[in-house]
Amino acid sequence: MRHDHHDRPQTQRDFQRMNELPAGPEREVIEQRLIRAWLPMATRLADKYRDRGEEREDLRQVAALGLCKAVQGYDPERGAFEAYAVPTITGELRRHFRDYTWGVHVPRRVQDLRNRVRTALQVMPDGAGAGQVARMAGLSEEEARQGLEALHSYRPLSLSAQSSAQSDGAGLGEYLGEADEGFGVVEDREAARPGLSRLPERERRVLYLRFFRDMTQSQIAERLGVSQVHVSRLISSACADVRAEALGSTAETGAEAA
């Protein structure tokens, strides 16, 4: 696809001249002129990524950095500059999204704190504390701590990633807690307790033998001297009464809380 002249300037002569010059002021002047000439193309490439959650100006700066690398690394003997520059700039933009964009939504304020802390750490010795970082970045200590936390929480870790604190090779997912099914049992028993206490003695005994002694209906019938059908009816009726009372109590508790 061809673009306007300002997007594809005729600069081959400048590139050839720059390639012939040694490092020095004259070469730098030509290099800066080439960067300015091709900057509209870099801006166009950056704007293709504008709807991906990053600020447009940040993307344009990344693209400009890629353009600088392309101008400095281009060899005029290997073809048109655009064919070399476009992959270089696009690669820089993709690397930015890979390394410097968040895996989850983070407030802009926290992103700014992280960037200021990261910039300060680049000129500070290793192991600098929050107080030192705060002074260097012009932040409060609390803001510096938030920035430091964000600095190390940029990417969510996979649950299969190994913990540096463990030597058994287990993944992080193996150390996550799980819901204890026993809590649900306790809640159910507490909900059923009032209804059970109101049942006649015979029904309570039948439920005890069935659900706590794990006896069959035939065994219960034999022990009580009644038919198995009668035991079945007693169990069904008692369970229905207890369930109705438990559900009613739960509904009343929820209404009071509301």
Side-chain angles (χ1 to χ4, degrees), residues 204-216:
R204 287 205 304 271
R205 187 179 181 192
V206 168
L207 293 182
Y208 170 76
L209 294 174
R210 178 68 186 92
F211 295 107
F212 291 89
R213 298 293 299 275
D214 201 26
M215 293 176 63
T216 66

Side-chain angles (χ1 to χ4, degrees), residues 116-159:
R116 292 176 66 176
V117 166
R118 182 162 60 92
T119 301
L121 289 175
Q122 289 175 350
V123 295
M124 296 182 68
D126 293 339
Q132 295 171 290
V133 173
R135 287 190 292 273
M136 175 63 70
L139 301 171
S140 68
E141 284 201 29
E142 179 59 28
E143 288 174 331
R145 290 191 190 94
Q146 292 180 22
L148 287 168
E149 290 177 2
L151 192 68
H152 300 295
S153 305
Y154 190 76
R155 282 272 172 219
L157 288 175
S158 168
L159 292 180

Side-chain angles (χ1 to χ4, degrees), residues 36-202:
R36 287 194 298 271
W38 285 95
L39 192 58
M41 182 193 71
T43 299
R44 169 173 57 83
L45 294 174
D47 287 348
K48 290 182 178 180
Y49 295 83
R50 63 183 179 275
D51 296 325
R52 301 192 182 185
E54 284 287 273
E55 294 291 329
R56 178 175 292 187
E57 285 305 313
D58 292 345
L59 294 176
R60 289 182 173 183
Q61 289 180 19
V62 173
L65 174 62
L67 174 61
C68 292
K69 291 181 178 180
V71 169
Q72 294 167 357
Y74 173 59
D75 182 355
E77 302 299 324
R78 295 189 176 183
F81 174 70
E82 186 177 15
Y84 175 77
V86 169
T88 302
I89 296 170
T90 302
E92 200 69 28
L93 287 163
R94 290 176 177 172
R95 188 157 40 251
H96 172 79
F97 276 97
R98 183 193 68 197
D99 297 338
Y100 298 107
T101 56
W102 297 83
V104 295
H105 174 72
V106 174
R108 184 67 187 180
R109 174 179 170 276
V110 177
Q111 295 185 38
D112 290 339
L113 290 176
R114 174 190 178 276
N115 291 337
R116 292 176 66 176
V117 166
R118 182 162 60 92
T119 301
L121 289 175
Q122 289 175 350
V123 295
M124 296 182 68
D126 293 339
Q132 295 171 290
V133 173
R135 287 190 292 273
M136 175 63 70
L139 301 171
S140 68
E141 284 201 29
E142 179 59 28
E143 288 174 331
R145 290 191 190 94
Q146 292 180 22
L148 287 168
E149 290 177 2
L151 192 68
H152 300 295
S153 305
Y154 190 76
R155 282 272 172 219
L157 288 175
S158 168
L159 292 180
S160 60
Q162 294 186 3
S163 170
S164 59
Q166 302 293 333
S167 58
D168 56 3
L172 293 175
E174 297 184 35
Y175 298 96
L176 294 179
E178 297 180 355
D180 191 334
E181 295 180 358
F183 290 129
V185 174
V186 171
E187 290 177 355
D188 291 342
R189 286 182 176 177
E190 289 303 310
R193 187 185 299 276
L196 287 171
S197 65
R198 293 186 179 89
L199 290 175
E201 174 62 28
R202 184 173 60 170

Side-chain angles (χ1 to χ4, degrees), residues 213-244:
R213 298 293 299 275
D214 201 26
M215 293 176 63
T216 66
Q217 293 183 11
S218 298
Q219 291 172 328
I220 297 172
E222 184 178 351
R223 172 171 291 196
L224 297 182
V226 297
S227 68
Q228 180 181 343
V229 173
H230 189 58
V231 170
S232 177
R233 289 173 179 169
L234 288 174
I235 292 174
S236 297
S237 175
C239 286
D241 290 343
V242 172
R243 183 181 299 108

